[in-house]
Amino acid sequence: MSRQAQIVELLLERGFTSVSDLASHFDVTESTIRRSLTELEARDLVQRTHGGALPVGQVDAPFDLKQSLHRPEKEAIGKAMAHRILDGQTVLLDSGSTTLEVARNLRGRQLTVVTNDLLVGATIAEKQNAHLVFIGGELLPNVYTMWGPTSIQQLENLRVDVAVFGADTVTENGVFNTSSYELEIKRTMRSVATEAFFVADSSKFGREALFKVFDLDSFSAGITDDYIEPMRAAQFPIPLIRVRSQETLAAVTPRS
């Protein structure tokens, strides 16, 4: 993960953070942090303030940044979710960097895959075994997501076995998004699915977001990584399946 991506992640977790605290956290000079903040501000990812920076609320972070965050955890989550999908099923994949990891683990499977995400669709299309149904519409800025009335109309004529959703934040009260753009399309996706799961790495838990998308009882389970503590996971009203990333396994595996 790049330092800039880590800075944005830290600001999202803490809110305002001073330049001196950022320099101490990353063990670099304050001038290095200031250069990084200047570049991030130019991309509308942070707001510079006197002595520090704040995260910027926007439609969505650029996908390249999102994809670089918590990559080992997302890879493990994607593999675990893909193992729960049976050959022959029709699966709907929501947009996002974690659902993209699910798609990567479905390549070559005998499935029908429905998605509104350009990268997910391209990933599935790389192997010809799966039948791909792509949801059209308008492209959201900064990401690869299709949405709008055309998308809703197309979805309403479908029926799928399993839907897999990403999340901006997850709390005991539900799954939330930072913007309202995708609320209708996500809820329509859930309405056409017999069963649903959400996939979210542990950094998504405990944050604040404005727009509630789903109650947790909309899902059979959530899949996350094992950085979320077992006691905390047990407080959720649905099962949270904790999976180990290769990074975690490397840390606990004794060296020969």
Side-chain angles (χ1 to χ4, degrees):
M1 188 193 310
S2 70
R3 184 187 300 131
Q4 288 191 3
Q6 292 179 65
I7 289 172
V8 174
E9 182 80 348
L10 195 66
L11 293 177
L12 288 170
E13 291 177 358
R14 297 183 179 180
F16 172 81
T17 307
S18 69
V19 169
S20 60
D21 284 347
L22 288 169
S24 176
H25 181 86
F26 293 104
D27 194 23
V28 296
T29 65
E30 292 188 7
S31 61
T32 297
I33 291 297
R34 289 191 184 96
R35 284 195 297 272
S36 293
L37 292 177
T38 297
E39 293 172 6
L40 288 168
E41 186 175 45
R43 298 174 65 189
D44 291 327
L45 294 173
V46 306
Q47 178 185 345
R48 295 288 302 276
T49 65
H50 180 69
L54 288 163
V56 171
Q58 57 176 7
V59 171
D60 215 335
F63 189 83
D64 60 342
L65 174 63
K66 293 175 68 175
Q67 192 172 27
S68 70
L69 298 172
H70 307 286
R71 186 64 179 271
E73 292 86 351
K74 291 175 181 178
E75 289 174 350
I77 292 166
K79 183 178 294 185
M81 183 65 241
H83 286 168
R84 285 165 173 79
I85 296 169
L86 305 177
D87 282 351
Q89 285 192 313
T90 299
V91 56
L92 190 158
L93 296 180
D94 184 22
S95 62
S97 56
T98 310
T99 52
L100 178 58
E101 292 299 333
V102 179
R104 287 172 174 152
N105 285 278
L106 292 176
R107 286 183 295 195
R109 300 273 300 275
Q110 296 288 340
L111 299 164
T112 296
V113 179
V114 181
T115 187
N116 68 323
D117 186 291
L118 290 171
L119 291 182
V120 170
T123 297
I124 296 299
E126 288 175 7
K127 300 292 184 179
Q128 298 300 314
N129 300 58
H131 176 209
L132 174 64
V133 178
F134 189 74
I135 303 300
E138 301 173 57
L139 184 66
L140 274 175
N142 292 325
V143 290
Y144 295 86
T145 306
M146 308 303 289
W147 75 299
T150 302
S151 305
I152 300 297
Q153 184 178 16
Q154 189 176 352
L155 277 166
E156 287 176 339
N157 292 316
L158 301 178
R159 172 57 58 183
V160 303
D161 298 309
V162 182
V164 182
F165 293 91
D168 287 341
T169 68
V170 182
T171 74
E172 291 86 344
N173 294 319
V175 170
F176 291 76
N177 259 37
T178 55
S179 73
S180 63
Y181 287 88
E182 296 178 76
L183 295 184
E184 186 178 6
I185 189 169
K186 286 178 182 286
R187 290 169 180 167
T188 304
M189 286 176 172
R190 180 63 190 92
S191 72
V192 302
T194 303
E195 185 180 23
F197 295 83
F198 71 80
V199 290
D201 68 78
S202 55
S203 73
K204 303 293 182 66
F205 289 77
R207 288 183 180 176
E208 296 295 328
L210 186 57
F211 299 98
K212 186 174 184 178
V213 190
F214 299 113
D215 290 320
L216 289 179
D217 62 9
S218 299
F219 303 96
S220 297
I223 300 182
T224 186
D225 58 76
D226 65 348
Y227 284 111
I228 187 169
E229 296 179 354
M231 290 293 291
R232 185 179 182 190
Q235 296 174 358
F236 282 76
I238 62 170
L240 284 187
I241 301 166
R242 300 164 61 250
V243 297
R244 281 190 172 186
S245 67
Q246 290 300 315
E247 192 173 84
T248 306
L249 287 171
V252 300
T253 301
R255 295 183 179 178
S256 57

